[in-house]
Amino acid sequence: MACGSQAQETTEDRQSLANQYVHEILPYWQHRLALDDWDVHVLLSRPEDLRPGTLGNIHWDRDKKAATIRVMDSTGYHTDLAAMLKDMQVTVVHELVHLE
């Protein structure tokens, strides 16, 4: 059972690192894209909560300048950590571009 517990720990670690990462990169890219006046939040979402074949989405309210970006969580990735984080960053940037 220890082996299964260790695998679960790795999954939780990947999820925690992914969550920390997307929250760290969001303000950087929001600033780079001159979207500082927007209130943007990012959420990790299970693959089944996204449209098939997508890695994320964005919903916004232009009048309130508020948006929520959903990014596929670590359970949807079958790559190493570095590749997963890079892909998550590309997804965040892609979704932010919709606000420009």
Side-chain angles (χ1 to χ4, degrees), residues 12-43:
E12 289 172 5
D13 289 346
R14 278 174 61 97
Q15 188 72 341
S16 178
L17 285 169
N19 191 48
Q20 180 181 350
Y21 183 72
V22 295
H23 284 90
E24 287 177 1
I25 64 164
L26 176 63
Y28 171 80
W29 284 107
Q30 196 174 341
H31 181 70
R32 285 281 311 262
L33 295 169
L35 296 168
D36 296 309
D37 55 340
W38 280 78
D39 181 24
V40 182
H41 297 274
V42 63
L43 300 171

Side-chain angles (χ1 to χ4, degrees), residues 32-75:
R32 285 281 311 262
L33 295 169
L35 296 168
D36 296 309
D37 55 340
W38 280 78
D39 181 24
V40 182
H41 297 274
V42 63
L43 300 171
L44 293 181
S45 299
R46 297 175 306 183
E48 58 269 19
D49 293 335
L50 299 169
R51 281 189 182 159
T54 64
L55 302 175
N57 62 42
I58 188 168
H59 296 280
W60 67 85
D61 182 323
R62 180 168 290 141
D63 295 332
K64 293 180 182 177
K65 288 201 166 190
T68 300
I69 296 173
R70 292 176 149 240
V71 176
M72 185 171 65
D73 73 14
S74 64
T75 64

